[in-house]
Amino acid sequence: MKIVIIGGSGLIGSKLAARLRHAGHEVVAASPSTGVNTLTGEGLKEALAGAQVVVDVANSPSFEDEAVLRFFETSGRNLLAAEAEAGVAHHIALSVVGTDRLLASGYFRAKQAQEDLIEASPVPYTIVQATQFFEFLGGIANAGGAGSEIRLSHALVQPIAAEDVAAALAEIVNEPPAGGRVEIAGPEAVPLDDLVRRYLAATGDARQVVADANADYFGVHLDDRSLTPAAGARLAPTGFEAWVRQRAAAA
């Protein structure tokens, strides 16, 4: 198949492109650096010509409320309209587990707007909601406070490795459109503060993590359901310790 990956040069897109090319597909890794811009529409028609599947893993360059909403709404409208014109058979979008439960956050409101556009489009679709990536644990730690103390919620999370996200998307490319949401997650649900504590120990970071029921998570309050999948989610194989070993081996 010809498969277009929007955001094809990013963390997930580059891993997915490698997997799909290895499987023998024709892959277009589309991004502004390759002349395909979903915000302006530049290069979309040419990139989508003859494509059977589009996988949208692009993320907003800004997480400021208005900017992120503008990104997902504008790029979503442009991309879906171009797909409908090109006759694309399957639109796959990467989203976030718990999006509809975290609408106090401007980012999650923008992701919800993106999902709403997909549902309203005539293009057959699958929305893949993933849990937080292990690769972002450093950023979560930094967001938890300055200095030597990090304050984080004790709510459960169930993180997934980026490589496992790419593997799941590569499988879904070969499946018929779900016409709904598929959740993917890592194998282990753990409290957020415990997980970041393990991450800091594994990376030699001496900062201390303090459990704080009032600590927010990028502007939202968490409970055990906020960032964890429902029963029936597809569970990836890579747990935290295995991810740490893989990370060390690749360094």
Side-chain angles (χ1 to χ4, degrees):
M1 292 185 289
K2 178 180 177 181
I3 302 165
V4 177
I5 304 173
I6 305 298
S9 60
L11 173 65
I12 302 300
S14 58
K15 296 178 185 296
L16 177 60
R19 283 179 173 271
L20 294 176
R21 288 186 178 120
H22 182 73
H25 297 294
E26 177 188 354
V27 177
V28 176
S31 67
S33 65
T34 63
V36 182
N37 191 321
T38 54
L39 282 176
T40 65
E42 177 190 1
L44 271 179
K45 182 176 182 179
E46 295 78 8
L48 296 181
Q52 286 81 40
V53 178
V54 172
V55 186
D56 184 4
V57 295
N59 208 352
S60 173
S62 169
F63 284 9
E64 188 274 325
D65 285 3
E66 289 187 15
V68 71
L69 181 62
R70 184 165 57 252
F71 175 86
F72 283 117
E73 285 191 331
T74 303
S75 62
R77 288 193 185 100
N78 288 340
L79 179 58
L80 290 163
E83 288 179 28
E85 184 178 349
V88 169
H90 192 181
H91 175 93
I92 301 169
L94 183 61
S95 192
V96 186
V97 163
T99 288
D100 62 344
R101 299 189 289 272
L102 297 167
L103 298 181
S105 158
Y107 180 82
F108 288 104
R109 289 195 297 274
K111 290 299 288 183
Q112 185 64 58
Q114 179 191 30
E115 293 189 15
D116 292 344
L117 285 169
I118 294 166
E119 289 184 308
S121 167
V123 181
Y125 71 92
T126 303
I127 296 170
V128 182
Q129 292 188 326
T131 53
Q132 184 59 271
F133 304 164
F134 287 124
E135 285 77 4
F136 294 159
L137 287 175
I140 293 170
N142 293 338
S148 62
E149 186 177 275
I150 298 168
R151 307 189 74 84
L152 293 171
S153 170
H154 192 64
L156 291 176
V157 294
Q158 196 164 333
I160 187 171
E163 195 65 64
D164 286 345
V165 175
L169 290 170
E171 290 180 358
I172 290 168
V173 159
N174 293 297
E175 298 173 3
R181 292 162 179 78
V182 173
E183 291 187 328
I184 60 174
E188 180 186 20
V190 294
L192 178 61
D193 61 314
D194 287 349
L195 180 65
V196 172
R197 214 172 272 118
R198 289 158 65 184
Y199 172 79
L200 296 181
T203 56
D205 192 321
R207 287 179 292 174
Q208 299 299 306
V209 177
V210 176
D212 183 350
N214 296 315
D216 68 21
Y217 177 85
F218 299 104
V220 296
H221 182 76
L222 299 181
D223 59 34
D224 286 346
R225 280 290 299 123
S226 299
L227 295 172
T228 51
R234 300 188 188 192
L235 300 186
T238 308
F240 177 75
E241 282 75 18
W243 174 77
V244 169
R245 290 193 298 271
Q246 293 170 6
R247 184 173 177 267

